[in-house]
Amino acid sequence: MDVSKMTVSINKAINTQEVAVKEKHARTCILGTHHEKGAQTFWSVVNRLPLSSNAVLCWKFCHVFHKLLRDGHPNVLKDSLRYRNELSDMSRMWGHLSEGYGQLCSIYLKLLRTKMEYHTKNPRFPGNLQMSDRQLDEAGESDVNNFFQLTVEMFDYLECELNLFQTVFNSLDMSRSVSVTAAGQCRLAPLIQVILDCSHLYDYTVKLLFKLHSCLPADTLQGHRDRFMEQFTKLKELFYRSSNLQYFKRLIQIPQLPENPPNFLRASALSEHISPVVVIPAETSSPDSEPVLEKDDLMDMDASQQSLFDNKFDDIFGSSFSSDPFNFNSQNGVNKDEKDHLIERLYREISGLKAQLENMKTESQRVVLQLKGRVSELEAELAEQQHLRQQAADDCEFLRAELDELRRQREDTEKAQRSLSEIERKAQANEQRYSKLKEKYSELVQNHADLLRKNAEVTKQVSVARQAQVDLEREKKQLEDSLERISDQGQRKTQEQLEVLESLKQELATSQRELQVLQGSLETSAQSEANWAAQIAELEKERDSLVSGAAHRDEELSALRKELQDTQLKLASTEESVCQLAKDQRKMLLVGSRKAAEQVIQDALNQLEEPPLISCAGSADHLLSTVTSISSCTEQLEKSWSQYLACPEDISGLLHSITLLAHLTSDAISHGASTSLRAPPEPADSLTEACKQYGRETLAYLASLEEEGTLENADSTAMRNCLSKIKAIGEELLPRGLDIKQEELGDLVDKEMAATSAAIETATARIEEMLSKSRAGDTGVKLEVNERILGCCTSLMQAIQVLIVASKDLQREIVESGRGTASPKEFYAKNSRWTEGLISASKAVGWGATVMVDAADLVVQGRGKFEELMVCSHEIAASTAQLVAASKVKADKDSPNLAQLQQASRGVNQATAGVVASTISGKSQIEETDNMDFSSMTLTQIKRQEMDSQVRVLELENELQKERQKLGELRKKHYELAGVAEGWEEGTEASPSTLQEAVTEKE
C-alpha cells in the first residue's frame, strides 16, 4: 500500500469534525499496518496533529488507535510503547477539563495505556483478546499464583473499560434520540471496541475464577468475588442500555448476560456458563461500505456460464462440429471458397456470441450481487425483528414493573400529600401561635414601657399629692375656723333675737292698753321680726352647705390619702426592683469577667499540650518579670475584693484586677512554655508542671471569688506558692557565663567575620553550580521549582554579604569612637561580653549559610525535604538578627552606618521570606505533580495502599518519638556548651538572652 494513501486515510479518519470515524478509513489504516508490519507511518502522522488542543481530534485518535491495537499488525504495540508517557501526560491534561470531551479523552487515554501495559506484560494475549481455553491455560503456565495475578490484572483492565463505558453514557442526554445524531454517534462509535473487549474479559474472568476456586479456599477469594459482582452488575446494565440504542442495532448484536451471576462456590456451575458472543453483521449494513464478491462465487458463475454457452453452440452447429469445429475435410460438396466464407461467418458469429457471453456474465454478476445484498438485508432485518421482539418483551416486562412502581409511588405520593397537608396545617397553627406570642411579647414590651412612664408620672403625682395634701390641710383648717366663727355668730344672733322677742312680749303684755298708740310701733316690730327670721333661715342654710362641703372635702382627702399610700407602695416596690436589678447586673458582670479570665487561662493551659516551634523559644528574664507583675496584681486584686465586699457598688477596680490577672497569668504560662524549650530536660519538665499547677490554682482562686464569700474563702496562698516555685526555677535558668582569654578576642572577631564572609561566598558559588546542573539535567516543573528556589537562595546570600559589610563598618565606627587612646584589641578585651556576642553571631551566620546550601543541594537532587530548607532560612534570619543586635548595642542611634545596617537587615528578612515562599510554592507544585490518582485503583489495590499507609504512620510516629527525645538531649547539651563557650551571664552587655530577645522580636 502506498504511504501517501495511508497518510490521507489517517488524516480523514482523525479530524476535528464531530462525526463517527468512517469504517473504510479505519480499515485502510489497519491494512496499512499489516502492509508495513508496524505503525511507524501512523505515529509519524499523529505526532503532527494538535491532539492537546482539540478534544474531538484526540477522541477520534483514541478510537483509531484502539482499532489498530485490536486488529492491526502485532508490531503496532511495540512501536507504540515509546509514546506511553506522552499518552499519560495528555490524559492528565485533559482530566482538568470537566466539560465536553475533556473527561472522555482523559479516561480513554488511560484505558489505552492500561491495554498497552496489559498486553506488554501478557504477550500471549492478542490485541483482539480472542483465545481458546487451551491458550488461556497456557497463559497461566499452570501456576495458581500466575492465575491469581492474571485475574487481578483482568479486573483492572475491565474496570477501565467499564469506566469509559459509564462516562460516555453519563455525558449523553438519554432523554433524546442521541444515537441518531452525528455528535452522539461520534461518542458512541468507540464503544463497539469496548463491547468486544468486555465480552472476552468477562468470559476469561469467569473461567479463571472457577479455576482459582478449585485450588484456593473460598475465604481467600472473597475479594475477587466481591469485585466480580460489582463489575458483573455494571456490565449487565451497560449491555442492556446499549442494546436499546438504534445506533448499535445495525452495527453489532450485543449479548445479554444471565440474570444471576455464576456461583463460583459450586464447581459444576462452570458447565452452565455460556460465553457471551458479540455478532457483527455483514459490512453491507454500514453506510460507507460496498458489497464484495467472493472468489468462489465468481468461479461458480464462470463454470455455469461456460456450460450454458457449450449447450447453445451444440444446438446450432451440432455435437460433432462442436467436438471438432474446424474439421471441414469431412464435408462433401463444399469448395474452398465457400469454406473460407463459412469460416469468416463463423468467426463473426463467435465474436457476437462472445460479446453476448460477456454481457450475460456482467448481468449475472450484477444479479448475483443484488441477490446477495438482498439476502444480507433480509437476514439483518430478520435479526433486527427478532431483537425487536425480544426487546418488546423486555420492554413490556419493564413497563409492567414500572407501572407497579408508579402505582406504589402514587400511593406514597398520596400519603406524602396527606402528610404534607397535616404538616402545613401544623405549620399554620404554629405560625398563628407564633404571631400571638409575638403580639403578646409586643404588648408586654409596651406594658413595660407604660409602667416605666407611669412610674415617672406616679413619682410626679406623689410630689403633687403631697403638696395638695398640705394645701388641703391648710384649707380644712381655714374652713373649720370659719365654721366655728359662723356658729358662734349665729348663736349670738339667736340669743339676741330671743332676748328681743322676750322684751317685745313683755312690751306687748304691758302695752296692750296702749294698742292704738303703739299700733305703728307694733307693725314696725313685726316687720323687724320677719327680717330677722329670714336672716336666721339664710344662715342655717349656709351652715348646712358648709357642713356638706366639709364632708365632701373629707371624702376627697381620704381618697387622696389612699392613692398616696398605693403610690408609695408601688414606688417602694419599684425602688426595690431597681436595686435588685443593679445588684444582679453587678453580679453578672463579675461572673462574666471571672469566666472570661478563666477562659483566657484555660486557653493558655491548653496551649501547653501543643509543642511550640523552636523559633518561639523565650528567655527566663521575661518569665521572672511577668511573675513579679503577677505578685503585684494579686495584692491589688485582694484589696479590690475587700473594697467590693464593703461597698458592692464600686466594682470597676475588681473587674480591672481580674482581667489584668488573667492576661498576666496567660503571659506567664506562655513564657514558661517557651522558656522550657531552651532549658535542660529536668528543669524544663519542672517548669512546665509548675506552670500547669499555677494555672489550675489561679482558676480555683477565681472560682472562689463569689459575692457571698469572704476574704477567708478567696485565699491566694496556693497561687503564691506556685509563683514562688516558678520564680525559683526561672532564677536557676538564668544564663551563667565564663571569661575567655581577653587578648585573643580582637583577632578572633576579625577571623570570625572573615570566615563568615568566606562561607557566604562559598555558598553562593555552590548555589550557582547547582543551578547550572539543574538547568542541564532537569526539565518541566522540577526545573522551574529548582530555578526559583536557588534564585531566592542566591538573593539571600547577597543580602547577607551586604549585611556583613554594613556590620563591619558599624563595628569599626564603634571601636574608633570608643577606644580613645587604646588599641582595637584593648577595646575588644575591655568589652569582652559584647565581643563574645559578635563572635557567636558570626559563627551562627556562617554555619547557617553552609547548612542551607547543603539542604538546597539535597532538595534539588530530589533527596531532601523542603521543610529543612525553610528551617535553615529561619535559622539564618535569626542568626543575622543576632548579629545586628550585637552590632548596634554600642552604636550611636544617629549613626549612618547603623541606618545602613538596619536597611541591610530588612533586606535579609525579605530575602528569607522569598526563600520560604518559593519553597512552599515549589513543594505544592511537586505535590500536585506527584499527587496520587485513586480513580483507577481497584478495591484490592486501595486496601493494600491503606495497610501500607497504616504501617508507615506507625513507623513515623515511632521515629517522631525518638526524634523528640534526641531533640531534648541536643538542647540540654547545647545549653551547657553555649553557657561555657559564650559566657552567658545575667546583667552583661549583649548577653545571649538579650540577643535571643532581639532575634525573637525580629522573627
Side-chain angles (χ1 to χ4, degrees):
M1 178 181 290
D2 190 4
V3 175
S4 60
K5 183 177 179 182
M6 184 177 179
T7 301
V8 171
S9 298
I10 293 173
N11 289 323
K12 287 183 178 180
I14 305 175
N15 54 44
T16 58
Q17 298 178 359
E18 194 175 2
V19 295
V21 177
K22 289 189 176 182
E23 189 64 29
K24 60 182 180 182
H25 300 322
R27 185 166 56 248
T28 303
C29 297
I30 294 172
L31 293 176
T33 59
H34 286 282
H35 183 265
E36 66 176 9
K37 293 180 172 50
Q40 294 86 356
T41 303
F42 173 76
W43 283 109
S44 64
V45 176
V46 168
N47 287 332
R48 295 193 295 268
L49 297 176
L51 300 179
S52 299
S53 59
N54 192 295
V56 176
L57 193 70
C58 182
W59 177 254
K60 299 178 79 170
F61 155 73
C62 295
H63 183 191
V64 175
F65 184 44
H66 196 174
K67 278 180 168 289
L68 295 183
L69 290 176
R70 281 187 53 82
D71 302 326
H73 194 273
N75 289 334
V76 171
L77 178 61
K78 297 179 182 179
D79 294 340
S80 303
L81 290 176
R82 70 185 71 175
Y83 300 102
R84 284 185 299 178
N85 294 332
E86 285 80 355
L87 296 179
S88 299
D89 294 340
M90 198 182 308
S91 175
R92 286 193 295 270
M93 187 272 294
W94 283 116
H96 296 294
L97 186 62
S98 59
E99 298 179 356
Y101 283 87
Q103 289 293 328
L104 296 179
C105 293
S106 175
I107 296 174
Y108 207 165
L109 289 168
K110 192 178 299 182
L111 168 61
L112 296 176
R113 172 70 183 268
T114 303
K115 184 177 180 68
M116 294 168 61
E117 293 177 350
Y118 178 83
H119 289 288
T120 303
K121 191 173 182 179
N122 303 282
R124 295 177 182 269
F125 284 81
N128 56 9
L129 295 174
Q130 293 182 359
M131 297 179 64
S132 62
D133 293 343
R134 182 179 59 82
Q135 290 173 333
L136 184 62
D137 292 337
E138 292 176 354
E141 298 178 356
S142 301
D143 188 354
V144 67
N145 295 321
N146 293 341
F147 285 122
F148 189 93
Q149 182 62 28
L150 186 61
T151 307
V152 173
E153 293 173 359
M154 283 190 178
F155 279 144
D156 296 341
Y157 193 175
L158 185 57
E159 186 72 27
C160 293
E161 300 275 2
L162 294 176
N163 192 14
L164 177 61
F165 216 143
Q166 186 67 46
T167 305
V168 171
F169 274 171
N170 292 338
S171 66
L172 296 174
D173 186 4
M174 304 307 293
S175 62
R176 300 183 299 170
S177 300
V178 294
S179 64
V180 298
T181 63
Q185 292 178 1
C186 182
R187 299 191 183 194
L188 292 174
L191 295 186
I192 296 178
Q193 312 301 317
V194 175
I195 292 172
L196 293 171
D197 289 344
C198 290
S199 62
H200 293 299
L201 291 174
Y202 167 78
D203 184 34
Y204 301 154
T205 303
V206 172
K207 294 176 180 178
L208 289 177
L209 282 176
F210 274 111
K211 187 179 293 293
L212 288 175
H213 278 78
S214 64
C215 302
L216 297 176
D219 295 340
T220 306
L221 300 173
Q222 181 63 42
H224 281 48
R225 291 196 300 275
D226 295 341
R227 195 170 180 188
F228 174 81
M229 287 296 299
E230 180 182 357
Q231 293 185 353
F232 173 81
T233 304
K234 291 182 180 179
L235 186 61
K236 181 180 178 181
E237 179 185 1
L238 293 174
F239 273 7
Y240 177 76
R241 294 176 63 182
S242 301
S243 62
N244 293 329
L245 294 178
Q246 187 66 29
Y247 176 72
F248 289 126
K249 292 180 180 179
R250 63 185 184 87
L251 297 178
I252 188 172
Q253 293 184 7
I254 303 173
Q256 297 297 323
L257 298 184
E259 184 68 24
N260 298 318
N263 186 5
F264 299 109
L265 302 179
R266 185 167 56 89
S268 60
L270 178 61
S271 60
E272 302 173 1
H273 170 66
I274 300 176
S275 300
V277 178
V278 179
V279 179
I280 299 180
E283 292 186 352
T284 54
S285 60
S286 179
D288 57 336
S289 61
E290 297 177 357
V292 180
L293 190 63
E294 299 293 339
K295 183 176 178 181
D296 295 339
D297 297 337
L298 293 175
M299 294 175 62
D300 295 341
M301 184 190 68
D302 292 342
S304 61
Q305 293 294 335
Q306 184 65 32
S307 176
L308 180 62
F309 172 75
D310 292 341
N311 293 333
K312 186 175 182 180
F313 192 84
D314 291 339
D315 293 339
I316 298 175
F317 299 103
S319 60
S320 61
F321 186 78
S322 62
S323 62
D324 190 9
F326 300 103
N327 185 9
F328 299 102
N329 295 325
S330 61
Q331 298 182 9
N332 297 323
V334 181
N335 56 17
K336 184 68 173 175
D337 294 336
E338 291 178 352
K339 288 182 180 180
D340 293 337
H341 291 297
L342 181 60
I343 289 171
E344 291 177 358
R345 182 171 59 84
L346 290 176
Y347 272 130
R348 287 193 298 270
E349 291 181 357
I350 289 173
S351 299
L353 291 174
K354 285 183 178 181
Q356 293 179 4
L357 180 60
E358 291 295 331
N359 293 333
M360 292 177 65
K361 287 182 178 180
T362 303
E363 183 66 21
S364 62
Q365 290 177 0
R366 186 181 63 79
V367 172
V368 168
L369 291 177
Q370 289 180 350
L371 292 176
K372 283 194 172 185
R374 182 58 180 166
V375 168
S376 300
E377 291 177 358
L378 291 176
E379 290 177 351
E381 185 176 356
L382 178 60
E384 183 177 1
Q385 292 296 331
Q386 292 176 351
H387 179 70
L388 288 175
R389 185 181 62 182
Q390 181 65 29
Q391 183 178 355
D394 295 340
D395 290 344
C396 182
E397 197 65 31
F398 176 76
L399 290 174
R400 185 179 294 107
E402 191 176 50
L403 180 60
D404 296 337
E405 182 66 22
L406 288 175
R407 289 175 178 172
R408 288 194 299 272
Q409 289 181 359
R410 187 181 63 182
E411 295 176 356
D412 296 339
T413 303
E414 292 176 354
K415 293 180 181 178
Q417 287 179 351
R418 290 193 296 270
S419 177
L420 181 60
S421 301
E422 183 66 21
I423 291 173
E424 289 178 350
R425 187 182 62 78
K426 291 183 179 179
Q428 188 175 4
N430 291 332
E431 186 175 359
Q432 293 177 356
R433 190 179 297 110
Y434 172 74
S435 300
K436 292 180 180 179
L437 290 176
K438 186 175 181 181
E439 292 175 357
K440 188 65 177 176
Y441 173 74
S442 301
E443 184 179 353
L444 290 175
V445 171
Q446 185 65 31
N447 291 337
H448 180 65
D450 293 340
L451 288 175
L452 292 178
R453 286 194 297 270
K454 286 182 179 180
N455 184 22
E457 293 176 358
V458 166
T459 304
K460 185 177 180 180
Q461 289 177 1
V462 166
S463 301
V464 175
R466 288 176 181 174
Q467 185 65 30
Q469 184 179 6
V470 174
D471 296 341
L472 183 61
E473 290 178 355
R474 186 172 60 252
E475 186 177 357
K476 179 182 179 183
K477 186 176 181 181
Q478 291 177 357
L479 290 173
E480 289 177 351
D481 293 341
S482 300
L483 180 62
E484 185 177 359
R485 188 170 57 255
I486 292 171
S487 299
D488 293 341
Q489 187 178 0
Q491 289 178 1
R492 285 195 303 269
K493 288 182 178 182
T494 303
Q495 187 65 29
E496 291 177 356
Q497 291 174 358
L498 290 175
E499 292 177 356
V500 171
L501 180 61
E502 186 66 29
S503 63
L504 290 175
K505 286 180 177 181
Q506 291 177 2
E507 289 179 359
L508 179 62
T510 60
S511 302
Q512 286 181 356
R513 294 178 300 270
E514 299 177 355
L515 183 60
Q516 293 179 354
V517 178
L518 295 176
Q519 185 68 38
S521 300
L522 183 60
E523 291 177 1
T524 305
S525 298
Q527 186 177 0
S528 298
E529 185 179 1
N531 292 334
W532 284 111
Q535 289 180 0
I536 292 172
E538 184 177 356
L539 289 174
E540 289 179 354
K541 183 178 181 181
E542 184 178 358
R543 185 189 63 182
D544 294 337
S545 64
L546 290 175
V547 171
S548 63
H552 182 68
R553 290 284 183 175
D554 290 337
E555 292 178 357
E556 290 182 354
L557 182 59
S558 301
L560 288 175
R561 285 177 179 175
K562 184 177 181 181
E563 185 177 358
L564 177 60
Q565 187 178 3
D566 295 339
T567 304
Q568 289 176 348
L569 291 175
K570 290 182 180 179
L571 182 60
S573 176
T574 304
E575 290 176 354
E576 184 179 357
S577 299
V578 170
C579 294
Q580 185 65 30
L581 180 61
K583 183 178 178 180
D584 293 342
Q585 288 180 348
R586 288 194 299 272
K587 186 175 181 180
M588 291 174 62
L589 188 59
L590 177 60
V591 172
S593 300
R594 182 172 56 80
K595 288 185 178 179
E598 290 175 354
Q599 183 63 38
V600 172
I601 297 173
Q602 189 62 46
D603 292 342
L605 289 174
N606 294 337
Q607 290 179 358
L608 284 176
E609 306 300 330
E610 301 178 1
L613 297 176
I614 301 303
S615 61
C616 296
S619 63
D621 296 336
H622 283 165
L623 179 60
L624 293 176
S625 177
T626 307
V627 169
T628 303
S629 300
I630 291 175
S631 299
S632 301
C633 181
T634 305
E635 295 177 359
Q636 183 62 33
L637 177 59
E638 291 177 348
K639 293 180 181 178
S640 301
W641 178 245
S642 301
Q643 295 175 0
Y644 171 73
L645 292 179
C647 182
E649 289 78 12
D650 186 11
I651 197 174
S652 59
L654 180 61
L655 296 180
H656 174 73
S657 300
I658 290 176
T659 305
L660 181 59
L661 177 63
H663 288 286
L664 288 176
T665 301
S666 177
D667 293 340
I669 294 173
S670 300
H671 287 313
S674 59
T675 302
S676 64
L677 292 177
R678 301 188 72 91
E682 294 181 1
D685 295 338
S686 300
L687 180 58
T688 302
E689 185 60 32
C691 290
K692 292 181 180 179
Q693 183 63 27
Y694 168 66
R696 291 191 290 268
E697 293 296 338
T698 305
L699 291 175
Y701 175 72
L702 291 176
S704 65
L705 296 180
E706 297 291 344
E707 186 174 358
E708 293 78 12
T710 61
L711 289 174
E712 288 74 17
N713 293 336
D715 189 9
S716 61
T717 303
M719 187 172 65
R720 293 179 184 273
N721 293 335
C722 293
L723 281 177
S724 300
K725 186 176 180 181
I726 293 174
K727 184 176 180 181
I729 298 174
E731 290 176 350
E732 292 179 1
L733 293 178
L734 286 174
R736 301 290 187 268
L738 296 176
D739 293 333
I740 62 176
K741 295 181 179 180
Q742 297 182 354
E743 62 273 7
E744 300 177 358
L745 290 177
D747 296 335
L748 189 58
V749 170
D750 296 335
K751 290 180 181 179
E752 289 299 334
M753 296 299 290
T756 302
S757 300
I760 297 300
E761 293 176 356
T762 303
T764 305
R766 286 186 61 190
I767 291 174
E768 293 294 336
E769 182 181 356
M770 287 188 286
L771 184 58
S772 301
K773 290 182 179 179
S774 178
R775 289 173 177 170
D778 298 329
T779 58
V781 175
K782 186 176 182 182
L783 176 58
E784 178 184 352
V785 172
N786 292 342
E787 285 182 344
R788 186 163 61 249
I789 293 177
L790 294 178
C792 293
C793 291
T794 304
S795 301
L796 178 59
M797 294 301 163
Q798 294 173 355
I800 294 174
Q801 287 179 340
V802 175
L803 179 69
I804 292 174
V805 173
S807 178
K808 288 181 179 179
D809 295 340
L810 182 59
Q811 292 172 23
R812 191 179 300 110
E813 178 184 344
I814 294 171
V815 173
E816 292 296 332
S817 62
R819 67 186 179 90
T821 58
S823 64
K825 292 185 178 180
E826 293 175 350
F827 177 82
Y828 284 125
K830 181 180 179 181
N831 301 275
S832 59
R833 298 302 181 191
W834 177 70
T835 306
E836 290 171 359
L838 290 176
I839 295 172
S840 175
S842 300
K843 287 181 179 179
V845 172
W847 176 81
T850 304
V851 173
M852 191 190 75
V853 173
D854 294 337
D857 190 10
L858 293 176
V859 170
V860 170
Q861 294 178 8
R863 296 184 290 108
K865 298 180 179 179
F866 289 96
E867 290 79 4
E868 295 179 358
L869 188 57
M870 289 188 284
V871 171
C872 292
S873 301
H874 286 299
E875 187 66 26
I876 288 178
S879 301
T880 53
Q882 183 180 356
L883 179 60
V884 172
S887 299
K888 71 177 184 180
V889 167
K890 292 183 174 297
D892 186 5
K893 63 179 181 178
D894 298 328
S895 173
N897 289 328
L898 177 59
Q900 185 177 2
L901 178 64
Q902 293 174 342
Q903 181 65 28
S905 176
R906 286 191 289 270
V908 171
N909 290 336
Q910 293 176 359
T912 303
V915 172
V916 175
S918 61
T919 304
I920 294 175
S921 176
K923 180 182 177 182
S924 62
Q925 283 186 271
I926 295 298
E927 289 177 351
E928 289 177 1
T929 305
D930 299 337
N931 189 20
M932 183 177 294
D933 185 11
F934 298 100
S935 60
S936 60
M937 294 181 64
T938 62
L939 179 61
T940 303
Q941 292 174 340
I942 292 176
K943 186 65 178 178
R944 187 178 302 167
Q945 291 287 343
E946 181 182 355
M947 295 177 64
D948 294 342
S949 298
Q950 291 177 352
V951 173
R952 183 58 179 163
V953 167
L954 295 176
E955 293 176 352
L956 292 176
E957 289 178 351
N958 189 18
E959 292 178 3
L960 176 61
Q961 185 65 26
K962 293 180 179 178
E963 288 297 326
R964 284 179 174 170
Q965 296 177 357
K966 182 179 178 182
L967 178 60
E969 295 297 329
L970 289 175
R971 285 178 181 166
K972 180 178 179 181
K973 191 64 177 177
H974 176 267
Y975 188 81
E976 295 174 355
L977 295 177
V980 174
E982 300 179 7
W984 294 356
E985 184 174 312
E986 179 184 8
T988 59
E989 296 179 347
S991 66
S993 61
T994 306
L995 296 179
Q996 179 60 34
E997 294 172 6
V999 170
T1000 305
E1001 294 176 358
K1002 181 68 68 177
E1003 293 177 350

